[in-house]
Amino acid sequence: MEITWWGHATCTVEDSGVRLLTDPVFARRLAHLRRRRGAPPPAHAAVADAVLVSHLHADHLHLPSLARLAAGTRLLVPKGAVRAVPGLRRLARLDLVEVEPGDSEKVGPVTVRVVPALHDGRRTPVARHRAPALGFVVSGEARTYFAGDTGLFDSMAAETGPLDVALLPVGGWGPGLGHHHLDAARAAEAARRLAPAAAVPVHYGTYWPIGLDAVRPHEFHSPGDEFVRKAAVSAPGVRVHLLSHGESVRPEAGR
């Protein structure tokens, strides 16, 4: 079992010979955001048996990045995504499946179970159509939780069940985060509640708004290190793997 972090919320999870890709964003620039750290992922990062999209925001459901997937790739998106994001209809060569919490999908020998997330599932703050924000639990040789983008919620641990690895967002792309996100402190609390054997911090230190380089720069640079420090106090039994962009880890090797 191996995890590669490509930046932001984009990870490859390889388990039991199955290759899963989360929230793929491969662009150097995304609207008002630019990639400030880490080169864009190489071409082979787009190779996957299935892709898990946690919610409709453009830094998670990025149509140009999805267009790089090979024909026939399974694409799991929140229920209602096609109505809310008509551009998905242009990706007809993909095997698009709309899912909601409680659903599960088999991808070869791996089971992908859909769980809730606490986050605004709309494409934009003023969008009329809604879709649920999701997390995913991948069960194969290991049980891996991809939280997507979420705040803390009371039933988080009950929804995921026992875990080997948690991919937890610890920051964002701007100088402020609302309660429907995890910052380093809330992510450390999530690690305490979930009690996985290992955690990988994601969703920080990649994209930042153009022209705001000098505005609260620690919110860009420090969330990963801050999560390591806070998790050591809140969840000392969780082994944290702090990855660089493009770096891989086999979490079970460190148990």
Side-chain angles (χ1 to χ4, degrees):
M1 188 270 184
E2 185 173 82
I3 293 167
T4 304
W5 182 50
W6 301 112
H8 203 50
T10 305
C11 299
T12 295
V13 178
E14 297 184 71
D15 191 321
S16 306
V18 172
R19 187 177 170 96
L20 303 172
L21 180 64
T22 67
D23 288 354
V25 179
F26 301 139
R28 291 185 180 275
R29 179 171 174 175
L30 174 62
H32 64 299
L33 307 178
R34 67 183 174 92
R35 193 177 182 105
R36 286 193 58 206
R37 184 188 287 170
H44 68 81
V47 177
D49 298 292
V51 173
L52 316 179
V53 174
S54 64
H55 63 289
L56 305 189
H57 292 169
D59 60 319
H60 293 259
L61 193 165
H62 185 241
L63 292 171
S65 295
L66 295 177
R68 292 175 54 177
L69 302 172
T73 302
R74 185 101 54 95
L75 176 61
L76 305 186
V77 298
K79 187 174 182 179
V82 175
R83 180 179 65 169
V85 188
L88 283 169
R89 296 190 177 96
R90 296 197 296 271
L91 303 178
R93 60 194 183 80
L94 303 180
D95 178 13
L96 190 149
V97 182
E98 293 193 338
V99 294
E100 60 185 340
D103 289 347
S104 63
E105 290 283 326
K106 290 288 289 183
V107 185
V110 166
T111 299
V112 178
R113 184 163 55 86
V114 185
V115 298
L118 180 62
H119 196 68
D120 185 354
R122 294 174 295 176
R123 181 67 163 174
T124 68
V126 297
R128 181 165 60 94
H129 297 302
R130 294 180 178 271
L134 309 174
F136 299 90
V137 176
V138 177
S139 296
E141 295 179 7
R143 291 159 298 185
T144 303
Y145 173 45
F146 169 58
D149 219 350
T150 186
L152 283 170
F153 55 97
D154 290 342
S155 64
M156 179 181 278
E159 295 286 356
T160 64
L163 297 170
D164 297 299
V165 187
L167 309 179
L168 296 175
V170 301
W173 52 254
L177 288 174
H179 286 293
H180 288 187
H181 298 79
L182 295 180
D183 60 11
R186 292 193 288 267
E189 172 61 15
R192 185 191 70 80
R193 297 184 188 184
L194 296 168
V200 178
V202 301
H203 202 267
Y204 77 100
T206 307
Y207 292 99
W208 199 249
I210 294 169
L212 292 185
D213 288 10
V215 178
R216 297 176 63 84
H218 64 283
E219 298 286 1
F220 177 83
H221 293 286
S222 68
D225 291 325
E226 188 177 353
F227 173 70
V228 172
R229 292 193 299 271
K230 291 184 179 298
V233 175
S234 299
V238 178
R239 187 181 186 93
V240 176
H241 299 277
L242 186 66
L243 302 182
S244 300
H245 291 76
E247 188 176 3
S248 301
V249 65
R250 295 182 176 179
E252 74 279 9
R255 291 187 200 172

